[in-house]
Amino acid sequence: MHEAAIVESALELILAKAEEHHLTKIRRITAKVGELSGALPEAMQFVFLNASQGTIAEGSDFIIEQVEATASCGSCDITFPIRFYHPVCPSCGGLDNQVLTGYELYIDTMEGD
Amino acid sequence: MSSIKVVTNILKVNDELTRENKKLMNQKGLYVINLMSSPGSGKTSILEKVIARLKNEVKIAVIEGDLYTTKDAERIEAHGVQVVQINTEGGCHLDGQMIRNALSHLNLEETNLLIIENVGNLICPASFELGEDLIITVLSTTEGNDKPQKYPRMFEKSGIVILNKVDLVPYTNFNKDEFHKDIQEINPKANIIETSCVTGQGIDELCSWLKEKISISNPV
Ligand SMILES: [Zn+2]
């Protein structure tokens, strides 16, 4: 389960940021996780619950916003959602399209005192 | 209460370590392969064939990632090339820190080609870049041709997709046409090589491909 490694990495980052901003309690964290990132939000929540225990992030709301996967076709000049990981252009059927979103895996914001 | 805009990549720590590792690999003129597959696909067998074929022409070193055992590393070591074993102790992938430790145990002056055999797993290793020049993913015919659709990330990032155990196709329900079509859709740039470690099919093709790549990255 690589969500464990991802969440531990995220927590390290959050705690460092909190220290930088002199927070003593973290209340809320939002993360953006793309559909194509390979990380499952439920698993991330589960790991966070355990990994944050005993830290200033314990008990905080860990909110995961999923980002839809989209791509754009250079020939048709359109943006479309990717279905089942296949960036097939719905207009021309072309395959060589640029993936725009879906690989996000980052901490967006945090709130605390 | 204060609100802080963070916007930092979660894999930042790994990315930074990987960037440093990559710098070292470049300085030493290494061509680096990240070899991935699910368990039992035969990637160690393929690696053995490739090493036997190339070791007199190319100086090869191997980093062996394994959950607990040293079996694969022992098989590779028997071919007389440098091997470092990383036991992840349950971890499902290799990361930048592990590679950094492994690099410090290798004589990089005596290496042109570094092959990292990742932990057998089609999901997690695809999320952690290791500074590789090429990702090779091995799928075996006994696993079924639905795997690329189920775990596309790894196939999407691969320069070469190896279909191993093609000698067993008649005994499985593996659909080669669907497999080729799926790879074409997920990653039109991937080179597909069909191999069999029993008949030796595809090993020459794979070795020529690698030799060409290594000579491009290390001009004499
Ligand atoms: Zn189009």
Side-chain angles (χ1 to χ4, degrees), chain A residues 73-78 80 89-94 97:
Chain A
C73 172
S75 356
C76 305
D77 199 23
I78 55 165
F80 53 90
C89 173
S91 173
C92 69
N97 301 306

Side-chain angles (χ1 to χ4, degrees), chain A residues 78-97:
Chain A
I78 55 165
T79 299
F80 53 90
I82 302 174
R83 294 283 162 242
F84 308 112
Y85 286 88
H86 294 177
V88 183
C89 173
S91 173
C92 69
L95 293 172
D96 201 6
N97 301 306

Side-chain angles (χ1 to χ4, degrees), chain A residues 38-52:
Chain A
L40 293 176
E42 302 75 38
M44 288 179 72
Q45 293 284 10
F46 176 74
V47 177
F48 183 82
L49 211 60
N50 289 289
S52 63

Side-chain angles (χ1 to χ4, degrees), chain A residues 9 85-86 103 107-108 110 112, chain B residues 2 4 6-7 10 152 156 185:
Chain A
S9 209
Y85 286 88
H86 294 177
Y103 287 120
I107 301 297
D108 192 28
M110 56 192 259
Chain B
S2 46
I4 301 162
V6 185
V7 201
I10 292 174
E156 191 194 5
E185 283 197 4

Side-chain angles (χ1 to χ4, degrees), chain B residues 12-72:
Chain B
K12 187 172 156 245
V13 180
N14 186 65
D15 290 351
E16 278 168 7
L17 279 165
T18 292
R19 219 170 302 133
E20 283 173 31
N21 292 342
K22 182 70 195 155
K23 217 159 118 191
L24 177 64
M25 291 164 176
N26 283 346
Q27 272 170 12
K28 303 292 178 187
L30 302 183
Y31 188 76
V32 182
I33 294 173
N34 187 355
L35 182 61
M36 307 199 266
S37 77
S38 38
S41 64
K43 68 179 177 319
T44 309
S45 300
I46 291 173
L47 190 51
E48 284 186 278
K49 298 263 181 212
V50 168
I51 290 171
R53 197 74 59 94
L54 291 182
K55 71 176 177 188
N56 295 327
E57 300 168 65
V58 182
K59 287 180 244 171
I60 304 172
V62 178
I63 296 175
E64 262 301 329
D66 202 303
L67 289 165
Y68 300 103
T69 74
T70 58
K71 281 201 182 99
D72 289 348

